Amino acid sequence: MSDDQKRQLEQQLWNIANTLRGKMHADEFRDYILGFIFYKYLSERMSFYADLILTQDKIKYIDIDESSETGKEYLEAIKDESLEKLGYFLKPSELFSEIAKRGNNKEGADNFILEDLKKILTNIEQSTMGTASEDDFDNLFEDLDMTSTKLGRTESAKNELIAKVLYHLDQIDFKLHETDSDVLGDAYEYLIGMFASGAGKKAGEFYTPQQVSKILAKIVTTGKTKLKSAYDPTCGSASLLLRLAKETEVSNFFGQEMNRTTYNLARMNMILHGVHYRQFDIRQEDTLEHPQHLDERFEAVVANPPFSAKWSANPLFMSDDRFSQYGKLAPSSKADFAFVQHMIYQLADNGTMAIVLPHGALFRGGAELQIRRYLIEDRNYLDAVIGLPANIFYGTSIPTCITVFKKCREYPEDVLFIDASQYFEKVKTQNVLREEDVDRIVEAYHDRTETEKFSKRATLKEIAENDYNLNIPRYVDTFEAEEQIDINALAAELMGLEKSMTETDQLIAGFCAELNIKTPF
């Protein structure tokens, strides 16, 4: 599929979402449109796989008679193989195209599909019970509330809207037969991004801007042709984890997400990008309070946690191996360094970690200063600090940074500081990193080059002398000398203005005398 066709698909999907949602807020309609796209994907994948199995029998899956004995035998055999290969099962009558056709049958009386649709989505989840994929499909469609009055005031109105959505989606060919294509996955990401741009503060819960994801991914995959494991403790919609797979091969994905709706979105996103259910383990829980992967160590650890979030900072955590060695817990009002500590604990010795933090985390005092000092002075884990432009995240305009950590650093004698705060493009009300901005940052990190007013390698001694204050202007001098002023030329200019004003006043006084009126001065 060409780039033009890809953009066309993205635009088609967004137009469907935008046109059909009516007065419903984009953030509310998101769960429906993304859920139905996912259902269509599962259906097309099911149909495509079943047709492959049935090739020798020269029949199509859709043509199987579900009520006949032969048909039942076919379905039983296909179900076993499908659960192993795909992780779920759908009968021919449950396929997206069939329910969309029935919902838009204007002449038939049987075009009320809401109940059947609910049953089908439940059947998909139940088909996995007792199998290895059960956790990945458990309550996956719970956010598609067909009874919500937001869809319409009457059952008929709700049915009409859902039938319209299914009809329009059914007209689009996802081209799943193009095995090397991740077009639908990219289109899904595009939609998530579009919904994020309209979701305000809520957007931060589920989405990291793609250009920021790209920087994080390129940094943690530096020098790696394959990653055994990747982990995001605040994974949102899993877009950041999936970005890693665009940079290198990733064997297994791990993530944790507190918000239930976003957790469902992450699992859908994984499956829709063709990640096999055995290759990802995403859990729903509060990462700091109830971590789910403590026994694992990961080669790549990335995160864009909620900025300066609150957490319990329970004194009992001082005996938790993630925090105990630092001698201090991150303050309860700002969990930024609690996430840093958690991620470092999960990082493998040969791994790289990159986390997005608010600028304040670089220089705030108290417990955070002690944690910074320990990470740099005692462990020497900090590898780089990258300052990003303000207003590049949805829902907040604060300036942010990326901090990079490694347990075994190739350059242990210094820390690289990059000031990329002035490299962006303004698009409407948002600042956006351009491709060249991303490349500039990544190249500077890879090569550890020093560039005037952009990047500097600061020695550990220099950082200690600054009392472990990591504020970037302390290391990267961006001071612009003011243009020298010629006082004599300025005085001559002022004298000229004075003369001109005197002449103007005389002219006005002459007009006033002719008109026999008082002068205004």
Side-chain angles (χ1 to χ4, degrees):
M1 185 180 272
S2 69
D3 284 346
D4 281 347
Q5 288 172 311
K6 180 180 162 184
R7 277 192 291 272
Q8 191 179 346
L9 172 62
E10 291 171 349
Q11 200 54 53
Q12 274 181 298
L13 291 173
W14 178 244
N15 287 344
I16 292 169
N18 216 26
T19 306
L20 297 180
R21 69 183 172 91
K23 292 179 181 176
M24 199 186 300
H25 193 275
D27 190 43
E28 296 166 334
F29 196 63
R30 178 196 73 196
D31 300 329
Y32 292 98
I33 191 73
L34 294 179
F36 288 136
I37 289 171
F38 182 63
Y39 167 39
K40 176 175 163 66
Y41 167 78
L42 294 181
S43 294
E44 290 192 10
R45 204 160 162 237
M46 177 75 232
S47 183
F48 181 66
Y49 180 64
D51 284 347
L52 280 179
I53 296 172
L54 295 166
T55 304
Q56 287 186 323
D57 298 272
K58 296 183 178 176
I59 58 171
K60 290 283 185 185
Y61 188 55
I62 198 73
D63 297 328
I64 289 177
D65 180 358
E66 294 177 28
S67 59
S68 71
E69 285 305 312
T70 308
K72 286 175 184 175
E73 286 174 17
Y74 271 128
L75 291 182
E76 202 55 45
I78 290 168
K79 181 177 182 178
D80 289 342
E81 291 197 44
S82 175
L83 286 173
E84 175 60 32
K85 175 74 175 175
L86 306 180
Y88 64 93
F89 176 71
L90 278 161
K91 289 189 284 192
S93 60
E94 295 175 329
L95 295 175
F96 185 96
S97 55
E98 291 302 293
I99 199 86
K101 208 179 296 174
R102 198 148 66 74
N104 287 278
N105 180 9
K106 303 299 179 190
E107 295 173 17
D110 189 24
N111 62 359
F112 188 80
I113 57 171
L114 287 189
E115 287 303 318
D116 286 346
L117 190 51
K118 276 192 278 187
K119 206 175 291 178
I120 290 168
L121 298 181
T122 301
N123 288 347
I124 294 173
E125 294 169 358
Q126 289 181 345
S127 74
T128 69
M129 289 179 74
T131 72
S133 62
E134 181 177 357
D135 286 345
D136 298 319
F137 283 84
D138 180 43
N139 288 316
L140 196 52
F141 293 100
E142 65 185 345
D143 294 304
L144 270 72
D145 181 6
M146 306 294 177
T147 63
S148 173
T149 52
K150 291 169 184 172
L151 293 171
R153 293 177 65 185
T154 64
E155 292 301 292
S156 175
K158 293 172 196 171
N159 190 76
E160 188 180 343
L161 176 60
I162 295 300
K164 264 187 198 172
V165 173
L166 299 191
Y167 170 77
H168 284 285
L169 286 176
D170 197 40
Q171 305 308 302
I172 300 174
D173 182 4
F174 284 170
K175 299 187 186 296
L176 297 188
H177 56 280
E178 295 181 7
T179 52
D180 61 336
S181 172
D182 196 18
V183 169
L184 182 57
D186 288 344
Y188 204 69
E189 286 283 326
Y190 170 81
L191 278 185
I192 292 172
M194 291 297 284
F195 281 119
S197 68
K201 287 191 175 180
K202 285 186 178 179
E205 294 174 6
F206 62 87
Y207 190 70
T208 301
Q210 281 200 4
Q211 300 300 74
V212 177
S213 293
K214 189 183 285 190
I215 294 169
L216 291 166
K218 284 182 179 293
I219 284 173
V220 299
T221 57
T222 299
K224 305 270 187 182
T225 53
K226 183 177 181 179
L227 286 174
K228 186 180 174 186
S229 59
Y231 172 62
D232 183 344
T234 58
C235 70
S237 62
S239 60
L240 185 44
L241 279 172
L242 288 163
R243 180 70 226 185
L244 294 174
K246 288 188 181 292
E247 301 301 328
T248 192
E249 184 185 342
V250 182
S251 298
N252 294 285
F253 297 90
F254 296 81
Q256 195 166 331
E257 172 54 43
M258 186 164 65
N259 181 288
R260 181 76 193 183
T261 298
T262 311
Y263 162 68
N264 291 337
L265 188 55
R267 291 185 294 166
M268 288 184 190
N269 207 5
M270 278 283 168
I271 295 166
L272 205 133
H273 275 82
V275 180
H276 194 272
Y277 65 87
R278 293 184 193 276
Q279 285 182 275
F280 72 89
D281 178 6
I282 293 178
R283 313 267 183 93
Q284 192 232 335
E285 257 300 354
D286 183 317
T287 299
L288 297 178
E289 308 289 339
H290 305 288
Q292 298 292 300
H293 301 99
L294 279 185
D295 295 334
E296 303 281 351
R297 296 296 175 270
F298 307 104
E299 251 190 287
V301 180
V302 289
N304 172 26
F307 301 143
S308 301
K310 290 179 171 58
W311 75 303
S312 71
N314 191 318
L316 292 174
F317 278 129
M318 284 307 299
S319 60
D320 187 314
D321 288 343
R322 293 175 295 164
F323 310 111
S324 57
Q325 59 192 300
Y326 297 84
K328 289 273 187 182
L329 293 174
S332 59
S333 60
K334 294 177 178 65
D336 304 311
F337 270 101
F339 283 111
V340 170
Q341 291 167 309
H342 169 84
M343 291 166 69
I344 282 173
Y345 181 80
Q346 304 268 198
L347 182 65
D349 287 343
N350 67 334
T352 305
M353 163 189 151
I355 178 173
V356 181
L357 294 171
H359 258 246
L362 298 177
F363 52 78
R364 290 190 297 246
E368 292 180 304
L369 168 58
Q370 184 164 328
I371 294 168
R372 286 197 304 272
R373 177 185 283 117
Y374 180 81
L375 286 169
I376 299 165
E377 186 178 53
D378 289 62
R379 309 309 298 174
N380 197 9
Y381 286 166
L382 181 64
D383 195 51
V385 178
I386 302 165
L388 299 175
N391 199 32
I392 58 171
F393 287 91
Y394 297 115
T396 179
S397 59
I398 64 169
T400 54
C401 63
I402 296 170
T403 51
V404 184
F405 295 88
K406 289 182 177 184
K407 289 183 175 176
C408 298
R409 300 208 296 131
E410 296 90 340
Y411 304 95
E413 67 283 350
D414 58 49
V415 175
L416 178 68
F417 285 82
I418 296 173
D419 184 354
S421 60
Q422 302 307 310
Y423 296 90
F424 62 88
E425 178 184 18
K426 192 163 185 66
V427 179
K428 295 181 181 176
T429 59
Q430 205 77 24
N431 293 337
V432 177
L433 289 163
R434 299 158 297 193
E435 281 299 321
E436 61 262 35
D437 302 325
V438 172
D439 292 342
R440 185 183 177 96
I441 293 167
V442 173
E443 282 171 23
Y445 176 77
H446 282 175
D447 303 337
R448 292 186 86 80
T449 48
E450 290 191 307
T451 305
E452 191 179 356
K453 294 182 173 36
F454 182 69
S455 58
K456 166 83 186 303
R457 291 166 65 168
T459 63
L460 299 183
K461 183 171 181 279
E462 196 177 341
I463 293 170
E465 286 169 353
N466 276 302
D467 197 23
Y468 302 95
N469 182 324
L470 303 177
N471 201 14
I472 297 168
R474 286 181 176 245
Y475 306 95
V476 182
D477 182 9
T478 56
F479 177 74
E480 294 283 353
E482 289 186 14
E483 188 181 341
Q484 285 196 335
I485 298 169
D486 185 336
I487 299 295
N488 291 328
L490 187 60
E493 188 181 341
L494 287 171
M495 286 173 69
L497 286 171
E498 184 73 32
K499 184 182 176 186
S500 176
M501 286 170 64
T502 303
E503 289 172 356
T504 304
D505 286 349
Q506 287 172 350
L507 187 63
I508 292 170
F511 289 145
C512 290
E514 283 180 29
L515 295 168
N516 199 24
I517 59 173
K518 285 185 178 180
T519 58
F521 43 79

